[in-house]
Amino acid sequence: MDDNRILTLFELNSLVRETLSLTMGDEYWIQAELSEVHPNANGHCYVEFVQKDDRHNSLSAKAKGIIWRDQWVMIKSYFEQTTGQSFVAGIKVQVLVTVSFHEIYGYSLIIHDINPEYTMGDMARRRREILKQIEADGILTMNKELPFPLSVQRIAVISSATAAGYGDFCRQLNDNASGLVFYVHFFQAAMQGKQVEESVLAALDEINAHRDLFDAVVIIRGGGATSDLSGFETYPLAAACAQFPLPIITGIGHERDDTVIDIVAHTRVKTPTAAAQLLIDHQTEQLTMLEDAAMSIKENIIERMKTESERLNVLAERSLRGIPLRVDKELLRVDSVCQKLQSGMNAIISNEKHGVDTLLNRIMYATKQGLVIEQGKLRLIAQRVDDNSPQKVLSKGYSITYADGKAVKDASAVKPDSELKTVVSNGSIYSKVIKK
Amino acid sequence: MKSMDKKMTYAEAMKRLQAIVSAVESDELDVDQLTVKLKEAKELITFCKDKLTSTSDEVKKILESL
């Protein structure tokens, strides 16, 4: 072999570089998936592009890429501000590249520009495809259709221990003004990156194994202007959330788009704090319902007292007009009704376990006040009735005369020779009509 | 008394309470029944409030054991 034809490695690589620079155009727009993104200490960013063959689940192309420091600052902020999505591995991008070959470092793509709309379109398309499949499966609204329990206290939280959101959630929940109690159990999961799907599914499985111990599931992460939520956009995760037997509340802190799990979840809020507030509001509503129930009962009893007192009033009026009635008996009856109501109320008040149960005490106090007023009225009426009772009148020297068992009010109704009975305060006198 | 059943859930207690409220509102109870229902309502309200605002060590323990 002719030694003159033998090249050094450097010479060969130089040849490749020269050939490439001669034959390749200046710039190309390419579409590819980022499989690695490594900003380094110098401020440059090293990436790796891949193209996947979905049918064979294999790679069909792969290339290194470099974004030099000056471009990296601009591209990163432009991309993230436009899409709300972090520039991270796993997303698809459309970038403007030049092809470079270096004798030592080999083949790589130098990135000069990016088209964020492509990534947004790709994420939206992926989301649409997942949702279409979920809908075709007939499970799209399954979680939404779960009834929200009356009391939601035992909360399974899926979050990352390092995420600020979990602390915010717990603080908001525990500092509620109504003294509501919540039981929070934490399930660790990755809230960004490739581990999201696997770790959230594992957490859901664990919760499902103990689903009787929980009322609801909350998936939360602290937000920010940009985040990498691509890990949430997967069919297995969306399907698991949609079919989960407990209602799921998401607060994964994304300002722009809902992820697929936001869409299939029972309730979607923007932030962990909002998720906590939702639970507080729900429980506060229960307290209000209890207050309403107590109020309704109170009003009904006051109404009942009024009815009884009016009944007595009628009796008293009739009695005052001189109609002899068994007023004492009626009085006793109404009085015993009032006493029963009173003792019912007392039972409610004195049984109070908690010294300062403001809600109940306030209502019961008001009810008792109403009762006392009504009873006072009854006593006044009773006094009036008593003042005019036949017994009182007789003791003043009046008498009642009966003919044929009926009180005589009309002299013409009494026939001569008929027998009369005259009642005075201490007895009866029997007599005969001599003259009319 | 039935309403003191410790195993009763919040939802069951609330359901029973609302049934009492409806009965009381409908004026169909005589005074004796009313008194009994009042006591039951009071117990149910206390039970429900307790669930919402008092910490149950039992629930805490179970969840901590997970």
Side-chain angles (χ1 to χ4, degrees), chain A residues 153 181 183 185 286 296 354, chain B residues 10 25 50-52 56 63:
Chain A
Q153 279 186 300
V181 170
Y183 308 92
H185 196 77
Q286 291 299 308
S296 159
H354 308 285
Chain B
Y10 177 89
E25 280 172 351
D50 224 50
K51 284 246 172 189
L52 295 178
S56 155
L63 290 184

Side-chain angles (χ1 to χ4, degrees), chain A residues 150-151 153-155 178-185 187 206 210 213-214 283 286-287 289-290 292-294 296-297 300-301 303-304 308 336-338 340-341 343-345 347-354 357-360 364, chain B residues 4 6 10-12 14-15 17-18 20-32 34-60 62-66:
Chain A
L150 279 183
S151 174
Q153 279 186 300
R154 302 168 304 164
I155 319 293
S178 308
L180 295 162
V181 170
F182 294 95
Y183 308 92
V184 174
H185 196 77
F187 293 85
E206 204 184 333
H210 305 286
L213 299 180
F214 296 103
Q283 295 300 87
Q286 291 299 308
L287 281 180
M289 278 169 77
L290 290 173
D292 289 348
S296 159
I297 290 171
N300 194 271
I301 287 174
E303 203 51 45
R304 196 66 178 260
E308 296 297 341
S336 95
V337 164
C338 291
K340 274 176 188 163
L341 288 173
S343 75
M345 296 306 300
I348 284 167
I349 295 157
S350 63
N351 268 359
E352 195 46 58
K353 241 199 322 201
H354 308 285
D357 193 340
T358 46
L359 159 77
L360 220 52
M364 294 316 172
Chain B
M4 292 309 284
K6 295 283 178 226
Y10 177 89
E12 285 161 4
M14 185 54 108
K15 197 176 157 197
L17 176 63
Q18 296 196 317
I20 292 176
V21 170
S22 312
V24 167
E25 280 172 351
S26 71
D27 260 348
E28 66 195 10
L29 302 171
D30 65 33
V31 172
D32 289 319
L34 194 59
T35 309
V36 172
K37 289 292 178 192
L38 266 180
K39 283 181 188 159
E40 197 183 339
K42 140 84 183 89
E43 282 166 4
L44 290 167
I45 289 171
T46 306
F47 175 87
C48 286
K49 268 210 77 179
D50 224 50
K51 284 246 172 189
L52 295 178
T53 59
S54 298
T55 306
S56 155
D57 292 334
E58 196 188 329
V59 177
K60 262 176 101 171
I62 292 171
L63 290 184
E64 273 162 15
S65 72
L66 284 186

Side-chain angles (χ1 to χ4, degrees), chain A residues 179-200:
Chain A
L180 295 162
V181 170
F182 294 95
Y183 308 92
V184 174
H185 196 77
F186 180 76
F187 293 85
Q188 165 70 33
M191 286 290 118
Q192 61 177 2
K194 290 175 190 161
Q195 277 76 48
V196 170
E197 178 186 309
E198 190 190 338
S199 62
V200 173

Side-chain angles (χ1 to χ4, degrees), chain A residues 7-20:
Chain A
L7 302 177
T8 65
L9 177 60
F10 179 79
E11 284 166 339
L12 177 69
N13 282 2
S14 298
L15 194 60
V16 172
R17 180 167 60 84
E18 281 164 27
T19 309
L20 278 177

